[in-house]
Amino acid sequence: MRIVKKILIIKTSSMGDVIHAFPAMTDLLRVQPDAQIDWVVESAFAGIVRLHPGVRNVIQSDVRKWRKAVLSAPVRAAFSTFRANVRQTRYDLIVDLQGLVKSALLAKLAQGTRIGYDGASAREPLAALLYQRKFRVSRELHAVDRNRALLAAACGYPIPAAQNSGLAMHAITQRLVVCCHATSRDDKLWPEAHWREVIAHCEQRGFAVGLPWGNAAEEARAHRLAAGFAHAKVWPRDPFAVLAQQLAEATCVIGVDTGVLHLAAAVGVPVVGIYVATSPALSGAWGGQAPAINLGGVGITPRVSDVLDTIAPWLD
């Protein structure tokens, strides 16, 4: 095994992708507890990265915003600040878990040996040209396994058999089902009528239902779903740390392909993933500490009965 004291992780977005990198951090800290891990992430997800107790320093980037006005004075100033922050430490390794040209360019700004996927493995093959060491990792693996494999190869340790996100949440389980109805793409949504059937079933069984949301359209959908139910509550939009604690108290979580579903799985709650436009084999809900069952797939919409049958043992 290679002794790595200081390591910089590049994994900027999205919420689910960031959470899928947590088990790799836990692997590294198991074999080398004194490793100092810094992480470059989009500002919107900095609160997610701070949930992992093994991350020492979070370095925020805003590439999504920078690209919209790359020559403006505020963007130039923000980029200058980022570059200064990322160059404060000389790292033993800089590991780009994202595999994109933009993430490889961010890695190049830091000081240290740059590591990433090879041309056949990276999501954008051109990114591999910017790494000093590169490794082949199958693109058919789940995102969690790809991250674990790359970091293990970079640091030279065998992948541990046990899998853990590293998020130890202490909570008393409530009679609560959380329905994560919102997602970034309309083609990943599940019909509202299906959600209302699930809510009705849970309420009949004596369970409260929580409905999180992230923007105005999602909040409006949450209110439509809750309408007419005595024990369905639209949650406030709280910081990620508060949301994680709320999820940890649930009996189970049901959700479409969205970051909140992946957060629930990471904190150790039984989850059901509803997939209609993406493949759960590559990015499905991953449960290291509790069951994570994914239904559906590309062009396959799970039925309400499939979901209810899956959560039945947990409600019992």
Side-chain angles (χ1 to χ4, degrees):
M1 174 182 167
R2 179 176 183 178
I3 301 300
V4 179
K5 291 293 185 182
K6 298 179 180 179
I7 184 167
L8 180 65
I9 298 298
I10 312 289
K11 190 70 165 179
T12 59
S13 61
S14 58
M15 181 174 170
D17 289 342
V18 169
I19 293 167
H20 283 157
F22 281 3
M25 304 306 105
T26 307
D27 289 348
L28 173 60
L29 292 167
R30 276 177 176 162
V31 298
Q32 192 165 327
D34 61 343
Q36 298 176 16
I37 301 173
D38 292 352
W39 192 317
V40 172
V41 68
E42 285 282 318
S43 295
F45 307 114
I48 289 291
V49 174
R50 291 192 180 100
L51 293 176
H52 197 292
V55 177
R56 180 188 66 164
N57 186 33
V58 179
I59 303 172
Q60 300 182 42
S61 69
D62 279 303
V63 174
R64 292 179 176 180
K65 294 181 181 178
W66 295 342
R67 288 187 299 191
K68 295 178 181 178
V70 67
L71 297 179
S72 69
V75 168
R76 292 201 305 270
F79 179 76
S80 179
T81 299
F82 168 78
R83 182 171 55 187
N85 289 339
V86 84
R87 293 182 66 82
Q88 283 185 354
T89 301
R90 182 163 190 87
Y91 296 99
D92 298 315
L93 294 178
I94 302 161
V95 183
D96 178 12
L97 296 176
Q98 197 91 17
L100 301 177
V101 171
K102 71 174 183 180
S103 56
L105 288 171
L106 293 177
K108 200 171 188 302
L109 293 172
Q111 300 183 81
T113 302
R114 299 185 302 278
I115 292 177
Y117 299 105
D118 71 6
S121 308
R123 289 167 60 188
E124 293 180 356
L126 286 177
L129 299 176
L130 299 172
Y131 307 133
Q132 293 159 306
R133 294 172 55 206
K134 56 201 78 174
F135 296 92
R136 179 156 299 187
V137 179
S138 173
R139 297 186 65 171
E140 301 303 313
L141 294 175
H142 188 282
V144 168
D145 296 318
R146 276 173 55 83
N147 293 325
R148 297 180 77 207
L150 180 57
L151 192 56
C155 299
Y157 59 81
I159 301 173
Q163 305 179 50
N164 194 305
S165 69
L167 300 190
M169 307 295 295
H170 301 286
I172 298 174
T173 302
Q174 309 293 322
R175 290 183 67 82
L176 169 68
V177 176
V178 180
C179 292
C180 303
H181 56 92
T183 183
S184 59
R185 286 168 34 192
D186 287 350
D187 63 339
K188 296 195 292 184
L189 293 172
W190 204 43
E192 291 186 22
H194 289 12
W195 281 117
R196 286 184 60 82
E197 286 189 55
V198 169
I199 294 169
H201 176 84
C202 293
E203 190 166 83
Q204 289 167 6
R205 296 291 306 275
F207 284 79
V209 175
L211 295 162
W213 54 274
N215 58 40
E218 294 170 2
E219 182 183 18
R221 184 186 305 112
H223 281 288
R224 290 196 300 271
L225 295 178
F229 294 109
H231 301 292
K233 181 180 179 182
V234 178
W235 283 359
R237 188 178 180 183
D238 288 315
F240 287 127
V242 176
L243 176 60
Q245 185 63 45
Q246 290 175 309
L247 294 170
E249 295 172 359
T251 297
C252 66
V253 174
I254 307 165
V256 290
D257 183 8
T258 182
V260 181
L261 175 73
H262 299 300
L263 180 58
V267 301
V269 177
V271 302
V272 178
I274 298 173
Y275 285 75
V276 300
T278 51
S279 170
L282 301 179
S283 60
W286 176 92
Q289 299 101 283
I293 300 172
N294 296 298
L295 305 175
V298 179
I300 305 171
T301 301
R303 300 171 299 180
V304 173
S305 59
D306 297 330
V307 173
L308 297 182
D309 288 345
T310 303
I311 67 172
W314 305 333
L315 301 191
D316 289 338

